[in-house]
Amino acid sequence: MLAFPAMAQTEDDHETASTPSIEPVVVTATRSAIRKEEAPSGYTEVTRDDVERKPATSLADLLGDLPGVAVDNERDGRSQIRIRGFEPSQTLMLVNGRRINNTDALVGHSNFRLTQLPTAAIDRLEVVRGPLSSLYGADALGGVVNAIIRPPEDEWTGRVRTRVGVTDPRPGGEERNLSLYTAGPLGERTGALLSLDFLDRNASLNPDEDGLDEIEGREAITGYGSLFHRPAAGHEIEVFFNVADDQRRANLGEDGERRLDLLRYSAGIRYDVEIGPWDARFDAYRSRSESESRHVDREDEHTDDVIDVSASRHWGQGQEVTAGADYRRESFWRERGGEREFGDTVTHRGAFVQNRSYLLEDRLIVTLGTRFDDHTNYTGEITPSAGVVYNFTDTTRVKADYGRGFSAPDLRRSTDTFEGGPPIPTLVIIGNEDLEPERSDSYSLGFEHDDGQREFGVTLFRNEIEDLINTRCIENCDFRTPANPEVRQYQNVDSALTQGVELEVGYRFGESGIVRANYTYLDTEDRDTGKTLENRPRQRFNLLTEAAVWPGATANLRAEYIGSQRRGSERTRDYTLFHLGMSQELADGFSVQAGIENVTDQRLGDIDDAFSREIRGRFYYVSASWEF
């Protein structure tokens, strides 16, 4: 089928309920199935082995080891990702190619999108660093993260995994996690999958101040389910549902408690069909986020209703065209104290076309595409893209890419009727209907080699960003009181530059030995002030080593180096984290794991006073899993 396969199938057999894929393919970068070697220079994949290696309970736990990707610690220990220096809200999050509604900018310090999916359901993560607005429209300014769900196979398979963990010597942080996954055929033409994840984590206490939590506690139930049916050869229908019920608590000392109740869900239908030479896909779904901040008596609801159609076909000699159109109705409202504070609805409409040319006996691949977007408040946005891959050999190639990206202002910022901001009586933030979308021109050049045993890659990138949205004081700027609060308005006041280099090396030895490392250097500049952008580490380094220690057992060591970054008017010190893990197979399908995260118990507050957020301390965990 076209892309984001649910029940994978061979070309010879369209009648069975499901069949494993013959060869792994990449689907996010072009919205058509291609080989990894043909993907843009900013493409990286998180495999199922990578998912198994960590005690991950969110997508952020799985993305922090990638080149060009930084994990930013927000309030209450929540994690957000930045790709090549872009804001978290400028990364588009997908599940099997369907967008998760973007609440990062609407609800401050939120990481809701990263916690919606049970990790047991993930087959792999496809990450494209660089704009894909030419395919997906708004929110894909910095890049795209697409979580591909594990598809059913010919027979019923399943997995049960349980894990417990504690932090030491810091108080609190005890964690209990149970994950379930099962999938298989219900008949000759029908299949199903179901995945559930249960998490109970106590808050981590601040060792320097009684009654204050530095990382919030969580109780969450996350589920994903799908039902597939093939009524005839070349036709497949999927009905899916994804839900996350998430409760978070953090003690604030004398200021009481911060309490957030969150419900997120997505539901809809997908239809894949072969029509002559065309592979076509139709999606219709709703994605909604409902949050209740009990400590400030505030409720928020954000909804995306989406219809998405795309199709792909081969034509001529070595040519493939992909085209599509989509419609999205986005709404957001906020109530405080039972009264409606704000509400608005906009529509997004877009159409795209892309052509891939395979030239010089497939050694040269040229991709050209463009998209037209129409928005209730912003019309006529055109985002072109171009990419070239030249294969010197089957294992060595060079890649060059250009992309235009844009991100429309969120519903709060783009209207004069919005008045809000943090619960501070001396500060008010208002919207601005004259805001322009944020735009970027991005360039990258990469060289890579991968012969199955050795891999090496280097990528240079540059992002020129215009019309960045920020707040500017317009009243009571020098002295503010509750009676005369400072008034700030969202305005297009900045332009910025992010540029740098990404290096990747790897070596495989034996059947299970791996050494893999990547390094990112990031240079940023706010061109209005000449200062570097905040919360962007200048350097990052990740290392993974894994090897068999005796029959059935593997051990791994992971290291993370996070360089200096600007926080407010200061630059922080750098720091390094180490993690250990081990897995032992005890019987066919049954194994146990144990490990230590943050072995040296690094605490950001002890490293530098400029850090205002914390990371989890030394964390010991054990787990057991059974696959059948």
Side-chain angles (χ1 to χ4, degrees), residues 61-133:
D61 297 332
L62 301 173
L63 295 169
D65 294 342
L66 302 184
V69 179
V71 175
D72 189 23
N73 298 297
E74 289 287 341
R75 184 175 65 189
D76 297 330
R78 300 172 190 169
S79 297
Q80 293 185 326
I81 61 168
R82 298 180 188 272
I83 295 181
R84 291 180 173 175
F86 282 90
E87 292 291 333
S89 60
Q90 294 167 339
T91 295
L92 178 63
M93 308 292 296
L94 306 173
V95 176
N96 268 17
R98 297 176 286 247
R99 67 169 54 229
I100 300 176
N101 56 325
N102 191 350
T103 55
D104 285 0
L106 293 169
V107 183
H109 309 285
S110 67
N111 64 343
F112 305 158
R113 297 186 299 163
L114 297 171
T115 59
Q116 182 167 341
L117 191 66
T119 57
I122 298 173
D123 183 63
R124 68 186 187 277
L125 299 176
E126 295 187 354
V127 181
V128 180
R129 307 184 303 279
L132 281 183
S133 294

Side-chain angles (χ1 to χ4, degrees), residues 224-400:
Y224 185 94
S226 287
L227 181 66
F228 309 96
H229 178 65
R230 290 207 178 109
H235 297 258
E236 180 177 284
I237 300 171
E238 177 195 6
V239 179
F240 75 93
F241 186 78
N242 176 209
V243 64
D245 186 1
D246 197 345
Q247 299 182 5
R248 310 186 185 192
R249 304 289 184 266
N251 289 316
L252 307 178
E254 295 180 356
D255 294 331
E257 181 184 43
R258 188 156 35 235
R259 302 176 61 192
L260 175 68
D261 293 345
L262 172 69
L263 176 66
R264 291 181 67 94
Y265 72 83
S266 298
I269 187 169
R270 165 170 289 175
Y271 177 40
D272 281 308
V273 60
E274 296 177 3
I275 306 175
W278 291 91
D279 284 343
R281 164 156 293 174
F282 170 82
D283 271 309
Y285 58 96
R286 163 170 285 188
S287 180
R288 172 172 287 179
S289 172
E290 302 173 2
S291 61
E292 182 178 2
S293 303
R294 294 180 177 270
H295 55 289
V296 292
D297 195 16
R298 190 185 74 192
E299 296 183 39
D300 299 276
E301 181 181 283
H302 181 261
T303 304
D304 277 332
D305 292 307
V306 181
I307 297 176
D308 190 345
V309 181
S310 59
S312 181
R313 66 162 294 180
H314 293 277
W315 65 278
Q317 183 67 32
Q319 305 290 326
E320 182 187 39
V321 62
T322 302
D326 52 72
Y327 171 88
R328 177 162 63 99
R329 183 178 183 271
E330 179 186 13
S331 62
F332 174 76
W333 60 257
R334 170 174 291 173
E335 291 184 353
R336 195 187 300 266
E339 295 185 3
R340 182 63 59 94
E341 183 179 86
F342 172 78
D344 199 5
T345 298
V346 296
T347 58
H348 308 250
R349 294 172 292 272
F352 73 90
V353 62
Q354 173 188 264
N355 191 79
R356 292 174 61 81
S357 301
Y358 293 81
L359 308 170
L360 302 179
E361 298 180 344
D362 294 349
R363 284 187 297 138
L364 176 64
I365 305 171
V366 179
T367 304
L368 300 174
T370 190
R371 178 183 169 99
F372 176 85
D373 276 276
D374 183 58
H375 183 284
T376 299
N377 302 323
Y378 312 99
T379 61
E381 196 72 36
I382 298 176
T383 49
S385 65
V388 175
V389 178
Y390 183 78
N391 294 281
F392 296 104
T393 68
D394 291 340
T395 60
T396 306
R397 63 200 61 87
V398 64
K399 300 179 177 181

Side-chain angles (χ1 to χ4, degrees), residues 77 221 239 301 308 320 381 404 425 463 465 520 523 596:
I221 301 175
V239 179
E301 181 181 283
D308 190 345
E320 182 187 39
E381 196 72 36
R404 177 78 168 168
N463 304 300
I465 311 167
T520 303
D523 177 43
I596 308 172

